[in-house]
Amino acid sequence: MVFNTNILAGSGGQAGDAFSPLGLQIKNSAGSQTNYLQSVCTAAASTSSSFSNRADNGKKATLVMWYYPLVKLANNSHIFTLQGGTNALTINFPYSFFIRTDDGTTDFQVLWQNPASNSYKINVVKPTFILNQWNCMLFSFNASATDKGIRWYHNDADQSAPNSVDTLHNFGGSGSNSGTSMSVAGKIGQAPFAGAIAELYYAPNQFIDFDIESNRRLFLNADGTPVDLGADGSTPTGSKPITYLSLREGEGAEQFAVNRGIGADLSVVGNVSIFAEPVSCSIA
């Protein structure tokens, strides 16, 4: 398996492409909190003959996704998680990657934990969990010794993540780091995400410098619409990501869990449906 690990620049998509993906509503609420998507990863994809959503440990990762929160549940609402164990309803230590709200607020938290010391090595919070609208997150992480950095854009606006990153933290989910279970909207011992998800692209061992506008246009058009990433997610970089979840016109809701990237499909647990609101965000 070959990952594109370069800092990229490209022309991106155009608004005239008329790409109209659908969102998947995951129907969690205060009274129903067991709806989610999950993949249990038994081995790293690059060393296994079977597909997996784990990768060999590296110091880079890119995550792009659209989320539409319908309600703010108490505690931390988890949107995307890589952690140990196999249960998306409980927290398992150590965990390597959380995307969630921060302690019941409308702040959006990106968090890693270093398994060796059981301490948080990246913990960035920004007020970007905005209810009743589509939000587009472009996030890329680099902990290599030569270029430590976080790139985080919300609806094309720089979040200027200031936290220093741990150059010793390996990202991916093999070896000493955790990542045996990937989940979308899992409760993780606290609260699940309640709302819709669209166009989820996850590529460990890949860093994209989103400070370069043309790199953002690989995923997000200047008019706030999503770029068509291709049938397998390879259009932005030329390489398939390990996970690319996309729902297209004419497909049923559970098709969203079919991984178009090189990794394993996710399983749908509980109640999901196609979300009616078109995928698009407002760009200032």
Side-chain angles (χ1 to χ4, degrees):
M1 178 185 305
V2 178
F3 290 98
N4 189 323
T5 59
N6 295 323
I7 298 176
L8 305 167
S11 59
Q14 302 298 323
D17 292 347
F19 178 54
S20 300
L22 304 172
L24 180 76
Q25 183 174 351
I26 304 175
K27 295 189 172 181
N28 288 308
S29 64
S32 177
Q33 300 192 11
T34 57
N35 307 293
Y36 57 92
L37 310 180
Q38 183 181 29
S39 173
V40 177
C41 315
T42 58
S46 58
T47 59
S48 171
S49 59
S50 61
F51 284 169
S52 171
N53 286 318
R54 286 175 74 179
D56 281 340
N57 276 335
K59 296 183 180 298
K60 302 174 183 180
T62 294
L63 175 67
V64 177
M65 70 176 184
W66 294 72
Y67 56 100
Y68 191 114
L70 289 170
V71 64
K72 177 181 66 67
L73 298 174
N75 300 319
N76 295 312
S77 295
H78 295 82
I79 299 179
F80 180 83
T81 305
L82 285 172
Q83 65 167 356
T86 60
N87 190 344
L89 300 180
T90 62
I91 190 168
N92 297 284
F93 295 94
Y95 47 78
S96 62
F97 191 21
F98 273 7
I99 300 291
R100 68 184 189 185
T101 59
D102 182 46
D103 294 327
T105 70
T106 56
D107 287 342
F108 199 88
Q109 184 177 37
V110 179
L111 183 150
W112 277 267
Q113 185 186 47
N114 185 321
S117 62
N118 217 37
S119 62
Y120 302 125
K121 291 301 180 183
I122 301 178
N123 189 348
V124 184
V125 178
K126 296 288 181 178
T128 56
F129 189 81
I130 303 174
L131 298 177
N132 299 312
Q133 71 171 50
W134 279 111
N135 300 262
C136 178
M137 185 181 78
L138 306 173
F139 182 84
S140 201
F141 161 78
N142 190 352
S144 67
T146 56
D147 183 13
K148 299 188 295 292
I150 301 172
R151 306 291 192 270
W152 181 359
Y153 280 77
H154 171 263
N155 294 359
D156 214 37
D158 184 10
Q159 299 306 302
S160 300
N163 294 45
S164 174
V165 297
D166 175 19
T167 60
L168 300 179
H169 184 84
N170 289 322
F171 182 89
S174 62
S176 62
N177 288 94
S178 175
T180 56
S181 176
M182 174 188 289
S183 62
V184 178
K187 187 175 181 179
I188 316 298
Q190 296 179 332
F193 173 74
I197 299 289
E199 292 300 292
L200 193 155
Y201 172 103
Y202 168 62
N205 295 325
Q206 177 190 86
F207 174 69
I208 300 176
D209 189 349
F210 287 128
D211 284 347
I212 300 172
E213 182 179 0
S214 59
N215 285 342
R216 302 198 299 277
R217 297 295 164 260
L218 296 170
F219 297 88
L220 175 65
N221 287 311
D223 66 352
T225 57
V227 173
D228 187 348
L229 306 186
D232 56 10
S234 64
T235 297
T237 69
S239 298
K240 299 178 185 179
I242 201 166
T243 303
Y244 175 44
L245 307 181
S246 178
L247 191 61
R248 311 295 176 97
E249 285 288 345
E251 296 177 340
E254 294 196 358
Q255 185 69 23
F256 184 78
V258 176
N259 190 354
R260 299 171 188 264
I262 60 175
D265 295 342
L266 280 71
S267 298
V268 176
V269 180
N271 192 3
V272 301
S273 65
I274 294 176
F275 190 60
E277 188 76 19
V279 181
S280 181
C281 67
S282 297
I283 294 180

